[in-house]
Amino acid sequence: MSISVAIAGVTGYAGAELLRLLVAHPAYASGELTIGALAAGSSAGQQLGELLPHLPEFGDRVVVETSAETLGGHDVVFLALPHGHSAALAHELDAEVSIIDCAADFRLRSAAEWEKYYGSPHAGSWVYGLPEMPGHRDAISQTGRVAVPGCFPTGATMALMPAVHAGLIQPNINVVSITGVSGAGKKASVGMLGAETMSNVRAYNTAGKHRHTPEIKQNLGEFIAADIQLSFTPVLAPMPRGILTTATAPLAAGVDAVQARATYEDFYADETFVTVLPEGYQPQTKSVVGSNGVQVQVEVNEDAGLLLVTSAIDNLTKGTAGGAVQCMNLMHGFPETAGLPVAGLAP
Amino acid sequence: MSISVAIAGVTGYAGAELLRLLVAHPAYASGELTIGALAAGSSAGQQLGELLPHLPEFGDRVVVETSAETLGGHDVVFLALPHGHSAALAHELDAEVSIIDCAADFRLRSAAEWEKYYGSPHAGSWVYGLPEMPGHRDAISQTGRVAVPGCFPTGATMALMPAVHAGLIQPNINVVSITGVSGAGKKASVGMLGAETMSNVRAYNTAGKHRHTPEIKQNLGEFIAADIQLSFTPVLAPMPRGILTTATAPLAAGVDAVQARATYEDFYADETFVTVLPEGYQPQTKSVVGSNGVQVQVEVNEDAGLLLVTSAIDNLTKGTAGGAVQCMNLMHGFPETAGLPVAGLAP
Amino acid sequence: MSISVAIAGVTGYAGAELLRLLVAHPAYASGELTIGALAAGSSAGQQLGELLPHLPEFGDRVVVETSAETLGGHDVVFLALPHGHSAALAHELDAEVSIIDCAADFRLRSAAEWEKYYGSPHAGSWVYGLPEMPGHRDAISQTGRVAVPGCFPTGATMALMPAVHAGLIQPNINVVSITGVSGAGKKASVGMLGAETMSNVRAYNTAGKHRHTPEIKQNLGEFIAADIQLSFTPVLAPMPRGILTTATAPLAAGVDAVQARATYEDFYADETFVTVLPEGYQPQTKSVVGSNGVQVQVEVNEDAGLLLVTSAIDNLTKGTAGGAVQCMNLMHGFPETAGLPVAGLAP
Amino acid sequence: MSISVAIAGVTGYAGAELLRLLVAHPAYASGELTIGALAAGSSAGQQLGELLPHLPEFGDRVVVETSAETLGGHDVVFLALPHGHSAALAHELDAEVSIIDCAADFRLRSAAEWEKYYGSPHAGSWVYGLPEMPGHRDAISQTGRVAVPGCFPTGATMALMPAVHAGLIQPNINVVSITGVSGAGKKASVGMLGAETMSNVRAYNTAGKHRHTPEIKQNLGEFIAADIQLSFTPVLAPMPRGILTTATAPLAAGVDAVQARATYEDFYADETFVTVLPEGYQPQTKSVVGSNGVQVQVEVNEDAGLLLVTSAIDNLTKGTAGGAVQCMNLMHGFPETAGLPVAGLAP
């Protein structure tokens, strides 16, 4: 038996990363997974070789229109479209098609937060596809509709979840996340030119304006009743891929470094993709580039009375396409880690 | 009348940047400033052209030994040596020689903090050479001994000083500073190789371990009686130069965005090197590369109840050698801004 | 007496670099040079601070329309416009206005070559503004119309001119020039995004297609009667600025390394901006970033019977705006090197 | 049945890349290949997690000494040691152990060339492990001793071999190869620091001095009786991985673009790892990063009478470790492409 998979938005960075991962999936090699429609917008009709030269195996494939006609009839449809396009498409696809949405459309449960941050009507919410969150692995396995987490929320949630879950910190959280430039997507703009972004670091969408703010709060809110105060500062750094998250919060009474480390090691003991680094070592984005891995370090700053957690992910892999394939594996009975490297591409 | 200047440690990044700035100083062009001994350690005897090919005007100069003999007899001696080497040299130089120390040796007033962070006996403290700090400009003008601030403390102090001075925030401060790789100096190490640092971001000396932590606290402590709680997280980014500082702290009661912005604009109204950016614009390191400029943005995050300040400097210019030349200008009667560009090298 | 200067296209990379250099020009400090109209196209009406944050001294200046009205009445007009726009403007300006054109419009003397490579009617040719070319310094000093060389032709001509002039090589020349991404200009495109250009090297406009090919041949043709066979391969590298040129050609009979080196050292003996590096040292772009310097190395490859010359320039400084200011200095009686650093911004 | 594999020099860039590839090899997943001794020099005794954090699956493995004792008893030994260390080790290992040497020791057949370029006694030569060279695939399949090609020779040979083989060009060849910084290896040096190599391009080992010069000549010499004149200019570019090769040579009489393209397409028609790009597209290193792919473009420059070929490889994958695994596959009966991605990691 074989499942067929389609990708909408294959020419964008998330869509192309999905294709890169699926080509290396053992089920593709064995014939249990076939790659069907590769759809996009303005480039429909072009050969993929002109658009994604890093994927020569698909060089002769012609990009098709993104529509219910081209996507329907597959077992799995990955949506890698700009925010706001998934809902309409999703409603036109049959219920038995698994839909894995890499956009934000179905991530937020609160219609008010959605409207505040995205300025459009709320489309609803699907199972939130971060298997490492308690309860989510099972929910993903049993649904046909998954909202893949945003890249920053993946990094921040993986960093902070064990601490919030175990009550190590007070919910007064400061997150600075430093991302590579592919996070801005593959659309022409002066501000994202190489000449503007190389040798340059700058913050953006600061002081609560970034749309991933409510998503991080929603995730951490699953583990605590109290309101979460969150400062989220995204920073753009001169590298193609990767997110380094630094997070601090006041320690709960009596928490020490030994307990913090033990909490993290226990929380992630069974997670193949997560490495809690030994004491004295900091995560680096290069360690996880191209991989589905997450590297985490947890420390106590005694002078400041804070917990410091740092995490590294690849924004396009674990932060988007890798997380999406991980969900597909769970939804369709493949080993959860199939086709997803833990090894990063260093140097 | 002319002053003569010597540089100890000219082959390192800070020393070479001093020379780059002095060559472009109008007093050098006019003959009011002559460049005397250019000293270094292991490269003494070599021609500068082999060591600093970006400074061809000095290509034929021979590097001399670093000693009281070679440095004595100048009006100004810049020390750009590894930490711990300045004190012995300084004691051998005549009192009438102006000494401007780019190392940490004379920055901290607390012997206890010095010994905790540097692990060696305290050499004492000199006038702290950040002219933008209230009172410091005058003190620098009247002394012959200046300790140039560290690069991170420069960025963090410029970002936070107006807020602490005006009581906009509670002294519970979170600083994440993202630096280019030249901050690590010009010594061979595997961890700082291009192959290790390109396309990579990582934190280091986290959780209170970085030596600039007490220096930032000392600076901000000049404006507030209460103890300062500081979390300082330095992060290494793949660019040669620049520091972006992001700083948050809880707002004092009743402070709003209008007041915050006005406070910063007033505080820096007369400072040539400081630009408080218009609302909606974030500092970027590229705007200040090679310049003595500081760019600052201040915002209120209402949801989180925090002030967010960001600043950008060049770690080698305003953060070290430019700040040092600014002090020399004050100490020797040149216009404070002489030889110090405000324009950055972009793109 | 003071001259007034206008810049058309100030918001592009060449125009902004002109402004960066003029602000640091000693004649600007002394009042002998005033900076008048700063003109651009679609951004007319905006404040410069929003567009060129690295130049805060001009942050309050409002960009004006590019027209004969706004530019007329100045003593010097720099044109930093896309190719094809200079001719019409130039014809509307008075004869006594010095015009220094950074575009290609007036560089080629051959109408046929112009039409072949640019596909539009030939506008004529002006004095070619590379002062280091024999005879050009005088011609520039005596004209009111200068065509600033292209960035690649500057690098290649500086590398090859002494060899062709002295007959060291046969005119069968292979040039590979590796450029930073600012050479592509400041217009939005997917191919020049940071995510596409970082960590990436690729050739473009290969096999004779690049428009700088006839310009390089024209320049070298001033020194030799025979036809020049030129292979020019431009390559894009992941850095903001800089061009490294590597050039090879078969040695003329009897030429050896000693003669080659002596030829280069003699040819450039009086040129402030040119450094012929000592044996064993190769030019690097970082040595000349932000400067008007040119670094050159010449070697003989005996096994292959070739001369190898390498040169490094900054494409925006010596390769465009610095060269333009150098011409202005000659045209208006300033010292040729005024306002033009020889020191590069390293590291 | 299962084969066991050891890696000597696992902590260097080539050795770590071997491990990264082997972990993803399907024979490792199926148990047909086991990863035995992981050996290195000064880091013996350390855990791999401290040294190669991008490979967390092997984090607990302890690095062993590099010796005949630790390496003996495996079916395959990969040597990824500095040049000059392979011969002694190889002589101590049993004849039935397959040895795949990533160093230069056994690449050159000419003792004179070896001694000229490496300055030490010639150790002999093994089968040269570039399966795409006619005859080599079979030879590799039948030997137990393979010399893996150098990274530059791989790029240059893949670019030029079809042209030399088919007589498209005269053997007067100009190669400029632009490499990422990992090519210099993982040893501390000031010149390879991030601060020295970022935003910088420079040539090195120019004018025939680079040790890969005789290797390129040896490879191309398999297809032509005449002497080859080769100019090889390596250039260092600011990226971690990748080599872009540009090669030109005078066209043989009567050769045109159609014939050139057909020759390349035919020559590589059956090679999975090689993509001859469509007309109008240039190879870029990003397309092959982390992959075993080779991208090639061939063009005729009619004005200059030259053939221009460009190729892109990853220096650590196809250029070293990927090529080595490809040889292992051939030697041990695995599918030649097993474990070797053709897809590159872009963006």
Side-chain angles (χ1 to χ4, degrees):
Chain A
M1 203 199 77
S2 171
I3 63 162
S4 66
V5 175
I7 302 173
V10 70
T11 57
Y13 291 141
E17 183 74 352
L18 281 164
L19 185 54
R20 188 183 73 86
L21 293 170
L22 291 174
V23 169
H25 199 289
Y28 176 69
S30 69
E32 294 165 278
L33 184 156
T34 61
I35 297 175
L38 301 176
S42 59
S43 51
Q46 283 188 263
Q47 285 195 314
L48 218 51
E50 303 165 10
L51 301 161
L52 303 176
H54 64 298
L55 300 173
E57 289 143 301
F58 282 77
D60 296 335
R61 270 289 191 98
V62 175
V63 177
V64 300
E65 298 275 351
T66 303
S67 70
E69 286 70 45
T70 57
L71 300 173
H74 295 85
D75 299 296
V76 179
V77 173
F78 288 101
L79 301 179
L81 303 169
H83 300 318
H85 291 68
S86 303
L89 253 180
H91 290 144
E92 293 188 67
L93 294 172
D94 288 347
E96 56 265 37
V97 177
S98 294
I99 308 182
I100 301 173
D101 184 19
C102 295
D105 298 37
F106 296 98
R107 288 182 200 151
L108 294 185
R109 290 190 294 271
S110 159
E113 288 283 46
W114 174 269
E115 281 156 26
K116 176 177 170 190
Y117 278 91
Y118 291 87
S120 60
H122 189 222
S125 69
W126 289 352
V127 170
Y128 189 84
L130 194 58
E132 289 84 359
M133 289 177 75
H136 286 241
R137 183 167 279 121
D138 284 350
I140 295 163
S141 304
Q142 292 157 23
T143 188
R145 296 288 182 274
V146 164
V148 177
C151 52
F152 286 125
T154 298
T157 304
M158 298 301 292
L160 286 160
M161 174 168 52
V164 178
H165 180 263
L168 300 183
I169 56 173
Q170 300 165 40
N172 190 344
I173 298 171
N174 210 309
V175 173
V176 177
S177 293
I178 303 148
T179 182
V181 294
S182 61
K186 195 176 175 178
K187 56 180 178 296
S189 81
V190 168
M192 296 305 296
L193 286 175
E196 300 290 318
T197 52
M198 290 180 189
S199 304
N200 198 14
V201 167
R202 64 176 168 88
Y204 67 102
N205 286 353
T206 45
K209 291 192 288 288
H210 198 285
R211 290 170 163 182
H212 286 171
T213 307
E215 190 178 333
I216 298 170
K217 289 170 81 165
Q218 173 178 291
N219 291 355
L220 301 179
E222 297 194 9
F223 311 106
I224 190 172
D227 272 1
I228 293 168
Q229 223 183 13
L230 173 68
S231 166
F232 173 55
T233 306
V235 174
L236 193 67
M239 59 184 180
R241 292 171 172 237
I243 293 177
L244 185 84
T245 299
T246 75
T248 52
L251 289 165
V255 172
D256 64 14
V258 172
Q259 179 186 354
R261 173 165 299 278
T263 299
Y264 272 71
E265 288 176 347
D266 288 355
F267 193 95
Y268 286 130
D270 298 329
E271 296 296 344
T272 304
F273 293 119
V274 187
T275 305
V276 179
L277 293 175
E279 211 178 321
Y281 292 83
Q282 278 291 326
Q284 50 185 350
T285 58
K286 201 183 266 278
S287 291
V288 293
V289 162
S291 94
N292 210 49
V294 184
Q295 301 208 347
V296 180
Q297 180 57 282
V298 58
E299 293 176 276
V300 163
N301 182 334
E302 282 183 17
D303 285 348
L306 298 173
L307 191 78
L308 170 70
V309 197
T310 45
S311 75
I313 61 165
D314 183 320
N315 57 306
L316 292 179
T317 318
K318 179 61 180 169
T320 309
V325 170
Q326 191 179 352
C327 290
M328 179 197 76
N329 287 342
L330 289 167
M331 296 162 82
H332 286 271
F334 299 116
E336 183 177 339
T337 60
L340 294 169
V342 180
L345 189 76
Chain B
M1 202 201 76
S2 171
I3 63 163
S4 66
V5 175
I7 302 173
V10 70
T11 56
Y13 291 141
E17 183 74 352
L18 281 164
L19 186 54
R20 188 183 73 86
L21 292 170
L22 291 173
V23 169
H25 199 288
Y28 176 69
S30 69
E32 294 167 277
L33 183 154
T34 59
I35 297 175
L38 300 176
S42 59
S43 51
Q46 283 189 260
Q47 285 197 313
L48 218 50
E50 303 165 10
L51 301 161
L52 303 177
H54 65 298
L55 300 172
E57 289 143 301
F58 282 78
D60 296 336
R61 270 290 192 96
V62 174
V63 177
V64 300
E65 298 275 349
T66 302
S67 70
E69 287 70 45
T70 58
L71 301 172
H74 295 86
D75 299 295
V76 179
V77 172
F78 289 101
L79 301 179
L81 303 169
H83 300 316
H85 291 69
S86 303
L89 254 179
H91 291 144
E92 293 187 69
L93 294 171
D94 287 347
E96 57 265 35
V97 177
S98 294
I99 308 181
I100 302 173
D101 184 18
C102 296
D105 298 36
F106 296 99
R107 289 183 200 149
L108 294 185
R109 292 190 293 271
S110 159
E113 289 282 46
W114 174 270
E115 282 157 26
K116 175 178 170 190
Y117 279 91
Y118 292 88
S120 60
H122 190 221
S125 69
W126 290 352
V127 170
Y128 189 83
L130 193 59
E132 290 83 359
M133 289 178 76
H136 285 239
R137 181 167 279 121
D138 283 351
I140 296 163
S141 303
Q142 293 157 23
T143 189
R145 295 287 183 275
V146 164
V148 177
C151 53
F152 287 125
T154 299
T157 305
M158 298 301 290
L160 286 160
M161 173 168 53
V164 178
H165 180 264
L168 301 183
I169 55 173
Q170 300 164 39
N172 190 344
I173 298 170
N174 211 308
V175 172
V176 178
S177 294
I178 303 148
T179 183
V181 294
S182 61
K186 196 175 174 178
K187 56 179 179 297
S189 80
V190 168
M192 295 306 295
L193 286 176
E196 300 290 318
T197 53
M198 291 180 188
S199 304
N200 198 13
V201 167
R202 64 177 168 87
Y204 67 102
N205 286 353
T206 46
K209 291 190 288 287
H210 198 284
R211 289 168 164 183
H212 286 172
T213 306
E215 191 178 334
I216 298 170
K217 289 170 82 164
Q218 172 178 292
N219 291 356
L220 300 179
E222 296 194 10
F223 311 108
I224 190 171
D227 272 2
I228 293 168
Q229 223 183 14
L230 172 68
S231 166
F232 174 53
T233 307
V235 174
L236 194 68
M239 58 186 181
R241 291 170 172 239
I243 293 177
L244 184 84
T245 299
T246 75
T248 53
L251 289 164
V255 172
D256 64 13
V258 172
Q259 180 186 353
R261 173 165 299 277
T263 299
Y264 273 72
E265 287 175 348
D266 288 355
F267 193 95
Y268 286 129
D270 297 329
E271 295 296 344
T272 304
F273 292 120
V274 186
T275 305
V276 179
L277 293 176
E279 210 179 321
Y281 292 84
Q282 279 291 325
Q284 49 186 351
T285 57
K286 200 183 266 279
S287 291
V288 295
V289 161
S291 94
N292 210 48
V294 184
Q295 301 208 345
V296 180
Q297 180 57 283
V298 59
E299 294 176 275
V300 163
N301 182 335
E302 283 183 18
D303 285 348
L306 297 172
L307 192 77
L308 169 70
V309 198
T310 46
S311 75
I313 62 166
D314 183 320
N315 56 307
L316 292 179
T317 319
K318 179 61 180 169
T320 309
V325 170
Q326 190 179 352
C327 290
M328 178 198 76
N329 287 342
L330 289 167
M331 295 162 83
H332 286 271
F334 301 116
E336 184 178 338
T337 59
L340 294 169
V342 180
L345 188 77
Chain C
M1 202 200 76
S2 171
I3 62 163
S4 66
V5 175
I7 302 173
V10 71
T11 56
Y13 291 141
E17 183 74 353
L18 281 164
L19 186 53
R20 187 182 74 86
L21 292 170
L22 291 173
V23 169
H25 198 286
Y28 176 69
S30 70
E32 294 166 277
L33 182 156
T34 60
I35 297 175
L38 301 176
S42 59
S43 52
Q46 283 188 261
Q47 284 196 314
L48 218 51
E50 302 165 10
L51 300 161
L52 303 176
H54 64 298
L55 299 172
E57 289 143 300
F58 282 78
D60 296 335
R61 271 288 192 96
V62 173
V63 177
V64 300
E65 298 275 349
T66 302
S67 70
E69 287 70 44
T70 57
L71 300 172
H74 295 86
D75 298 297
V76 179
V77 173
F78 288 102
L79 300 180
L81 303 169
H83 300 317
H85 291 69
S86 303
L89 253 178
H91 291 143
E92 294 187 68
L93 293 171
D94 287 346
E96 56 265 36
V97 177
S98 294
I99 307 181
I100 301 173
D101 184 18
C102 296
D105 298 36
F106 296 98
R107 288 183 200 149
L108 293 186
R109 291 190 293 272
S110 158
E113 288 283 45
W114 174 269
E115 281 156 27
K116 175 178 171 189
Y117 279 91
Y118 291 87
S120 60
H122 189 222
S125 68
W126 290 352
V127 170
Y128 190 83
L130 193 59
E132 289 85 358
M133 289 177 75
H136 285 240
R137 181 167 279 120
D138 284 350
I140 296 163
S141 304
Q142 292 157 23
T143 189
R145 295 288 182 274
V146 165
V148 177
C151 52
F152 286 125
T154 299
T157 304
M158 298 301 290
L160 285 160
M161 173 169 54
V164 178
H165 181 263
L168 300 183
I169 55 174
Q170 300 164 38
N172 190 343
I173 298 171
N174 211 308
V175 172
V176 177
S177 293
I178 303 149
T179 183
V181 294
S182 62
K186 197 177 174 177
K187 54 179 182 295
S189 80
V190 168
M192 296 305 296
L193 287 176
E196 300 290 319
T197 53
M198 290 179 188
S199 304
N200 198 13
V201 168
R202 63 177 168 87
Y204 67 102
N205 286 354
T206 45
K209 291 190 288 289
H210 198 285
R211 290 168 164 184
H212 285 172
T213 307
E215 190 178 334
I216 298 170
K217 288 171 81 165
Q218 173 179 291
N219 290 356
L220 300 178
E222 296 193 11
F223 311 107
I224 190 171
D227 271 2
I228 293 168
Q229 221 182 16
L230 173 67
S231 165
F232 173 53
T233 307
V235 175
L236 193 68
M239 59 184 180
R241 291 170 173 241
I243 292 178
L244 184 84
T245 299
T246 75
T248 53
L251 288 165
V255 172
D256 65 13
V258 172
Q259 180 186 353
R261 173 165 300 278
T263 299
Y264 273 71
E265 288 176 348
D266 289 355
F267 192 94
Y268 286 129
D270 297 329
E271 296 296 344
T272 305
F273 293 120
V274 186
T275 305
V276 180
L277 294 176
E279 211 179 322
Y281 292 83
Q282 278 292 325
Q284 48 185 351
T285 58
K286 200 182 266 279
S287 291
V288 294
V289 161
S291 94
N292 210 49
V294 184
Q295 301 207 346
V296 180
Q297 180 57 284
V298 58
E299 293 175 276
V300 163
N301 182 334
E302 283 182 18
D303 285 347
L306 298 173
L307 191 77
L308 169 70
V309 197
T310 45
S311 75
I313 62 165
D314 183 321
N315 57 307
L316 293 179
T317 318
K318 179 61 180 169
T320 309
V325 170
Q326 190 178 352
C327 290
M328 179 197 76
N329 286 343
L330 289 167
M331 296 161 83
H332 286 270
F334 299 116
E336 183 178 338
T337 60
L340 294 169
V342 180
L345 188 77
Chain D
M1 203 200 76
S2 171
I3 63 163
S4 66
V5 175
I7 303 173
V10 71
T11 56
Y13 291 142
E17 183 75 352
L18 281 164
L19 185 54
R20 188 184 73 85
L21 293 170
L22 291 174
V23 169
H25 199 288
Y28 177 68
S30 69
E32 293 166 278
L33 182 156
T34 59
I35 298 175
L38 300 175
S42 60
S43 51
Q46 284 189 261
Q47 283 195 316
L48 217 52
E50 303 166 10
L51 301 161
L52 303 176
H54 64 299
L55 299 173
E57 289 143 300
F58 282 77
D60 296 336
R61 270 290 191 98
V62 175
V63 177
V64 300
E65 298 277 349
T66 302
S67 71
E69 287 69 45
T70 58
L71 300 172
H74 295 85
D75 299 296
V76 179
V77 173
F78 289 101
L79 300 180
L81 303 169
H83 301 317
H85 290 70
S86 303
L89 253 179
H91 291 144
E92 292 187 69
L93 294 171
D94 287 347
E96 56 264 37
V97 177
S98 294
I99 308 182
I100 301 173
D101 184 19
C102 296
D105 298 37
F106 295 98
R107 288 183 200 150
L108 294 185
R109 290 190 294 271
S110 158
E113 288 283 45
W114 174 269
E115 280 155 27
K116 175 177 171 191
Y117 279 90
Y118 291 87
S120 61
H122 189 223
S125 69
W126 289 352
V127 170
Y128 190 82
L130 194 58
E132 290 84 358
M133 289 178 75
H136 285 240
R137 183 167 278 122
D138 283 350
I140 296 163
S141 303
Q142 292 158 22
T143 188
R145 295 288 182 273
V146 165
V148 177
C151 52
F152 287 125
T154 298
T157 304
M158 297 301 291
L160 286 159
M161 173 169 54
V164 178
H165 180 264
L168 300 183
I169 56 174
Q170 299 165 41
N172 190 344
I173 298 171
N174 210 309
V175 173
V176 178
S177 294
I178 303 148
T179 182
V181 294
S182 61
K186 196 176 175 179
K187 55 179 178 296
S189 81
V190 167
M192 296 305 297
L193 286 176
E196 300 290 319
T197 52
M198 290 180 189
S199 304
N200 198 15
V201 167
R202 62 177 169 88
Y204 67 102
N205 285 354
T206 46
K209 290 191 288 290
H210 198 285
R211 290 168 164 183
H212 286 172
T213 306
E215 190 179 333
I216 298 171
K217 289 171 81 166
Q218 172 178 291
N219 290 355
L220 300 179
E222 296 194 9
F223 310 107
I224 190 172
D227 271 2
I228 293 167
Q229 222 182 15
L230 172 68
S231 166
F232 174 53
T233 307
V235 174
L236 193 68
M239 58 184 180
R241 290 171 173 239
I243 292 177
L244 185 84
T245 299
T246 75
T248 52
L251 288 165
V255 172
D256 65 12
V258 172
Q259 180 186 354
R261 174 165 299 278
T263 300
Y264 273 71
E265 287 176 348
D266 288 354
F267 193 94
Y268 287 130
D270 297 329
E271 295 295 344
T272 304
F273 293 120
V274 185
T275 305
V276 179
L277 293 176
E279 211 178 321
Y281 292 82
Q282 278 291 326
Q284 49 186 351
T285 57
K286 201 183 265 280
S287 292
V288 294
V289 162
S291 93
N292 210 48
V294 183
Q295 301 207 347
V296 180
Q297 180 56 284
V298 59
E299 292 177 276
V300 163
N301 183 334
E302 283 183 17
D303 284 348
L306 297 173
L307 191 78
L308 169 69
V309 197
T310 45
S311 74
I313 61 165
D314 183 322
N315 57 306
L316 292 180
T317 318
K318 178 62 180 169
T320 309
V325 170
Q326 189 178 353
C327 290
M328 178 198 77
N329 287 341
L330 288 167
M331 295 162 84
H332 286 272
F334 300 116
E336 183 177 339
T337 61
L340 294 169
V342 180
L345 188 77

